[in-house]
């Protein structure tokens, strides 16, 4: 696997090469780390707000619904018993956090392995910079078309968000914009193409130290 990537400009022309630092490429280990990081990320996205009422929280049911003996029916002390229609829910969901703790070294290993695999597949593109003349969607689409990723799902990573880039990419259904500090393992694996500006890739690799 090559340790250099071509640097393209917004017209798709090669303007240089990006040398990947030593220690970033990791192809011998990390598959379990990637799995753990993805599971933890998806678990963290769950709202955990599902909630049902117990028999003590359902309105009503204070009076004994019928006399204890003489009806030939099972005795009942409340109409809000879980076995009754309109009663509470036994062992139902309650608000909770689904977050999973992952050690920092495992997260770094997962990022290294995920990035290495995408580089090995040839799915990482480095732009000199993502510079747009205006904030129009067609300007952003023209850049994607020039680098031949317009028809694929794309993760675009920039150093910092600016108004023109956010406005221009907001209506592109197959593109997600992220800063280098928020790119995660799940998104590295999810998208067909990863497009980093040179400065964004520098910042991202800085997280792997």
């Amino acid at each position: 696997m090559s340790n250099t990537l071509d640097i393209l400009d917004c017209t798709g022309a090669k303007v240089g090469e990006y040398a990947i630092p030593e220690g970033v490429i990791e192809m011998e280990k990390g598959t379990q780390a990637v799995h753990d990081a993805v599971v933890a990320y998806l678990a963290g996205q769950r709202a955990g707000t599902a909630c049902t009422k117990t028999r003590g929280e359902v309105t009503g049911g204070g009076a004994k619904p019928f006399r204890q003996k003489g009806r030939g029916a099972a005795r009942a002390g409340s109409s809000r018993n879980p076995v009754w229609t309109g009663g509470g829910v036994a062992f139902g969901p309650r608000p909770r956090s689904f977050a999973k703790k992952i050690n920092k070294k495992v997260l770094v290993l997962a990022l290294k392995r995920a990035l290495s695999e995408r580089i090995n597949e040839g799915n990482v593109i480095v732009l000199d910079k993502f510079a747009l003349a205006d904030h129009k969607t067609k300007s952003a689409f023209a850049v994607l078309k020039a680098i031949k990723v317009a028809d694929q799902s794309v993760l675009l990573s920039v150093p910092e968000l600016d108004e023109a880039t956010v406005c221009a990419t907001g209506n592109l259904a197959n593109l997600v914009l992220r800063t280098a500090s928020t790119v995660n393992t799940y998104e590295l694996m999810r998208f067909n193409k990863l497009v980093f500006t040179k400065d964004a890739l520098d910042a991202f690799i800085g997280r792997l130290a």
Side-chain angles (χ1 to χ4, degrees):
M1 182 174 65
S2 175
N3 285 354
T4 60
L5 297 170
D6 292 340
I7 300 177
L8 309 178
D9 62 15
C10 289
T11 65
K14 180 179 177 180
V15 294
E17 289 189 342
Y18 187 95
I20 302 169
E22 288 289 332
V24 172
I25 300 300
E26 178 58 78
M27 294 298 292
E28 294 183 0
K29 59 184 178 181
T31 54
Q32 185 62 45
V34 170
H35 176 271
D36 291 345
V38 169
V39 169
Y41 174 80
L42 293 176
Q45 299 304 298
R46 297 183 66 176
T49 55
C51 182
T52 54
K53 291 183 178 181
T54 65
R55 62 183 295 169
E57 296 170 326
V58 179
T59 301
K64 188 173 175 64
F66 49 78
R67 67 182 186 270
Q68 179 85 343
K69 304 174 76 67
R71 297 181 72 248
R75 55 195 174 186
S78 172
S79 61
R80 295 302 179 258
N81 187 300
V83 302
W84 283 50
T85 299
V89 177
F91 310 112
R94 305 294 289 180
R96 55 168 292 195
S97 170
F98 288 91
K100 296 179 181 293
K101 182 182 182 299
I102 300 293
N103 292 335
K104 184 177 179 181
K105 288 184 178 180
V106 175
L107 287 175
V108 170
L109 176 59
L111 289 172
K112 285 183 179 180
R113 179 58 188 256
L115 180 65
S116 300
E117 288 190 4
R118 302 318 303 275
I119 291 174
N120 191 42
E121 296 165 357
N123 290 323
V124 177
I125 298 171
V126 183
L127 287 179
D128 181 33
K129 55 184 176 179
F130 193 75
L132 302 176
D134 50 43
H135 60 275
K136 295 182 179 179
T137 301
K138 68 178 181 180
S139 299
F141 184 78
V143 175
L144 298 182
K145 189 172 182 181
I147 61 177
K148 301 178 181 178
V149 298
D151 59 343
Q152 302 184 63
S153 62
V154 177
L155 173 68
L156 172 61
S157 179
V158 295
E160 299 291 339
L161 298 180
D162 61 82
E163 186 176 357
T165 303
V166 172
C167 290
T169 60
N171 285 331
L172 295 173
N174 63 334
L175 181 144
V176 170
L177 180 65
R178 291 285 185 268
T179 59
S181 61
T182 60
V183 173
N184 57 70
T185 305
Y186 171 73
E187 291 177 331
L188 288 178
M189 302 301 294
R190 172 189 170 194
F191 293 91
N192 296 134
K193 296 292 183 179
L194 308 177
V195 179
F196 289 86
T197 65
K198 180 180 178 299
D199 290 341
L201 189 54
D202 286 338
F204 178 75
I205 289 177
R207 294 170 54 192
L208 309 181

